[in-house]
Amino acid sequence: MNPIERALGILLLLTGGKLVPATVLAERFQVSLRTIYRDIDRLIALGVPVDAERGAVGGYRLAKGYLQPPVALTRDETAALLAAMALVRSSRTVPLADDLTSAEKKLLATLPKNLHGLLKEADRIVGIEPIPPDIFHSGTKAEPTQDWQTALDGFMSGILDGKRVRFDHVNPSRKTVKSHDVEPHGVMFDRDLWYLAGRCVDTDLVKVYRADRVRNLEISGLFFRPAKDFSIQNLLGGAWLSQAMRRWEQEEQIAEILITSRQAKKLSADWYYRHAIFTPARDGRILISIPSTERARILPLVRWLGPGAELLTPDTLRRELAEELAELSGLYGDAASFEKSA
């Protein structure tokens, strides 16, 4: 028996919690006491916490809790833990950071070699967006559903298998459902929502899809080579939303609102509207262009901005807002009537 095999055998014998005398170890491995002492010293030098007690009933044992019972994990279970670690590591401070690093290395060692490169830096495919200021926007919360979980699980499996995924994506503003063929690259958590990032085969663009709007996801039989230069980190900080805004400007109708410089400064701090286009206009005002004409999005924004904000397009919403303001004016009267009543 070589020293490495003997050291492993000693480790196993010391895990029972009871003191094991050096004489018992020497007899068990058919070596001298001096050899056992050297083996114990070698284990301690490697960082193994061996407790030693002197005396007639003394001996050696491992510090309690050093070796845990063996746990058999599947590939996907291991990948799930590594993905969770990447999310935790995105926090500014992490409890037991050094232990997290060593646990990550042990998990990686159990994976097939073809997945080492993919999951060695799990934060390349799993990202968490820090919560930015929410000046106005709301309605981004969605309750998790089975469709949501199925989409997220299937997308991660596509990443691990290196296979394309197919799914239907619901667009609530257009009230349409469109099929997509995607090479999955990464997932991202942003404002209580999961997003799926991948290369759209039809457009050859990296797009981001909200997981709660994905239906009928299935993994295809077509393999793809993962993009070595892709990192989900490059989509954080609102980069994905800015890219999507530019694309939506080509695909959607545009609402234009003329606002004051003060209002523009206020909106430029918002997590969503700061990615719209702000263009200098007349009288020192700013024209903001938003790639949406949804009534439920545009009218509340103009009301919230208040005096100084003028909705220019679309005409249908402008007329609706004018009628609403006329009714409010009739209900509350003019400023003079309030002064008299006061």
Side-chain angles (χ1 to χ4, degrees):
M1 179 178 289
N2 61 45
I4 295 177
E5 292 172 331
R6 190 168 61 249
L8 180 58
I10 291 173
L11 272 176
L12 294 175
L13 286 176
L14 299 185
T15 58
K18 296 182 179 180
L19 289 169
V20 181
T23 52
V24 172
L25 293 174
E27 183 178 350
R28 169 66 177 80
F29 295 105
Q30 296 295 301
V31 293
S32 66
L33 283 173
R34 184 180 295 275
T35 298
I36 292 298
Y37 296 149
R38 283 200 300 265
D39 288 339
I40 295 295
D41 288 341
R42 189 177 295 115
L43 288 173
I44 293 174
L46 290 172
V48 179
V50 179
D51 291 337
E53 292 189 15
R54 300 180 182 276
V57 293
Y60 302 104
R61 63 184 165 199
L62 285 182
K64 188 177 180 180
Y66 175 67
L67 283 182
Q68 302 294 328
V71 178
L73 297 175
T74 66
R75 181 206 65 173
D76 286 0
E77 288 171 340
T78 303
L81 287 175
L82 288 168
M85 286 180 176
L87 287 176
V88 171
R89 205 180 293 281
S90 299
S91 303
R92 284 185 285 183
T93 56
V94 180
L96 304 174
D98 292 341
D99 297 293
L100 183 66
T101 299
S102 62
E104 195 170 36
K105 291 179 180 178
K106 291 176 183 178
L107 285 171
L108 279 169
T110 68
L111 287 172
K113 289 184 178 180
N114 65 308
L115 292 179
H116 279 203
L118 183 63
L119 289 172
K120 187 176 182 180
E121 297 176 353
D123 58 0
R124 289 181 62 246
I125 62 172
V126 181
I128 183 168
E129 182 75 271
I131 298 177
D134 189 351
I135 302 301
F136 168 80
H137 211 76
S138 62
T140 59
K141 185 176 178 61
E143 293 300 326
T145 64
Q146 188 55 50
D147 284 334
W148 188 354
Q149 189 66 57
T150 300
L152 191 57
D153 291 348
F155 206 79
M156 278 299 297
S157 294
I159 292 173
L160 296 174
D161 293 334
K163 290 184 177 180
R164 290 182 184 176
V165 295
R166 289 189 293 264
F167 55 82
D168 296 326
H169 186 262
V170 178
N171 187 319
S173 61
R174 296 181 186 172
K175 296 180 173 56
T176 59
V177 179
K178 184 178 179 181
S179 296
H180 293 266
D181 193 2
V182 175
E183 294 177 354
H185 287 350
V187 297
M188 174 174 55
F189 188 73
D190 184 7
R191 299 185 62 79
D192 208 28
L193 293 168
W194 278 103
Y195 291 84
L196 316 176
R199 188 185 75 85
C200 174
V201 174
D202 293 335
T203 63
D204 196 28
L205 295 173
V206 173
K207 293 186 177 181
V208 177
Y209 309 86
R210 265 179 58 168
D212 62 305
R213 294 176 179 172
V214 169
R215 304 287 186 272
N216 307 318
L217 186 143
E218 60 181 24
I219 301 173
S220 76
L222 297 175
F223 288 91
F224 71 94
R225 191 180 299 276
K228 292 183 179 180
D229 58 346
F230 175 84
S231 173
I232 198 72
Q233 303 302 313
N234 294 333
L235 297 180
L236 300 183
W240 71 271
L241 182 55
S242 182
Q243 295 171 13
M245 281 275 204
R246 304 293 80 80
R247 190 173 69 251
W248 296 337
E249 286 160 7
Q250 305 300 317
E251 301 171 352
E252 307 285 350
Q253 290 182 310
I254 303 295
E256 295 181 319
I257 308 172
L258 202 58
I259 57 179
T260 66
S261 58
R262 180 183 60 81
Q263 292 168 333
K265 184 177 181 181
K266 203 173 183 181
L267 276 185
S268 65
D270 181 68
W271 76 275
Y272 182 84
Y273 288 111
R274 66 190 171 111
H275 297 290
I277 292 181
F278 292 76
T279 307
R282 60 183 183 273
D283 303 327
R285 293 200 284 177
I286 307 294
L287 181 68
I288 178 174
S289 301
I290 301 170
S292 171
T293 56
E294 280 187 83
R295 180 184 183 280
R297 181 188 296 276
I298 302 303
L299 293 186
L301 174 61
V302 180
R303 295 190 200 104
W304 179 78
L305 288 169
E310 180 185 356
L311 176 60
L312 301 181
T313 61
D315 289 337
T316 53
L317 292 185
R318 180 181 171 89
R319 286 195 298 270
E320 184 176 342
L321 184 59
E323 292 170 0
E324 178 184 298
L325 294 176
E327 289 181 14
L328 286 173
S329 178
L331 178 62
Y332 289 99
D334 56 29
S337 64
F338 277 104
E339 290 176 2
K340 290 177 181 179
S341 62

